[in-house]
Amino acid sequence: QPEGPFDIVLVDAPCSGSGTWRRQPEARWRLGPTRLAELTAIQDRLLDRGAALVRRGGRLVYATCSILPSENQDRVGELLARNSEFEAENAAQAWAGPFPPGLEADFRASPLATGTDGFYTAILRRI
């Protein structure tokens, strides 16, 4: 078990893999409401564990290979509702270098917008 506090904690959460469905179309048939609920519960637990390891002023970075808001923006929103010590950080403002397509307040890549698999990343700062 790692001990904190850390400057940055990455939560690369297990997810539905919906961002890869264009390459693996059969995977969409393996995801139902029960499995999605299991995944979002795991994501919430991992976010809570990760948040506990971040020092004041540090960052919690949340990432999935999903394009589903229920696994992305909704998870971040739920963490922020549960934990007033964190605030969303604008990913574009935190980025050093040329902006990749899909980078705004959070990072959302998709086959349509970026020509890649679907990915999501949000940055949260402990205040």
Side-chain angles (χ1 to χ4, degrees):
Q1 181 74 9
E3 296 180 23
F6 296 102
D7 293 335
I8 298 175
V9 173
L10 170 65
V11 174
D12 183 5
C15 67
S16 65
S18 61
T20 66
W21 286 353
R22 73 181 176 127
R23 291 184 296 109
Q24 301 173 1
E26 74 285 355
R28 75 183 72 202
W29 305 117
R30 291 191 295 264
L31 180 66
T34 301
R35 180 63 181 146
L36 186 58
E38 291 169 353
L39 288 167
T40 57
I42 291 167
Q43 293 157 358
D44 286 342
R45 281 195 307 272
L46 291 174
L47 277 166
D48 288 339
R49 287 182 182 174
L53 297 172
V54 178
R55 72 163 176 80
R56 292 211 180 277
R59 293 177 173 148
L60 176 63
V61 179
Y62 176 67
T64 71
C65 59
S66 173
I67 58 171
L68 303 177
S70 61
E71 293 187 280
N72 297 327
Q73 299 93 327
D74 294 353
R75 301 290 43 88
V76 169
E78 290 288 329
L79 174 71
L80 294 174
R82 286 190 308 275
N83 194 327
S84 63
E85 293 185 8
F86 282 85
E87 64 185 9
E89 185 171 350
N90 186 303
Q93 291 176 355
W95 189 264
F99 287 171
L103 182 65
E104 295 180 16
D106 51 17
F107 175 67
R108 298 180 207 178
S110 72
L112 180 62
T114 61
T116 66
D117 281 352
F119 296 98
Y120 176 82
T121 304
I123 303 171
L124 307 171
R125 180 175 293 280
R126 187 171 198 169
I127 49 178

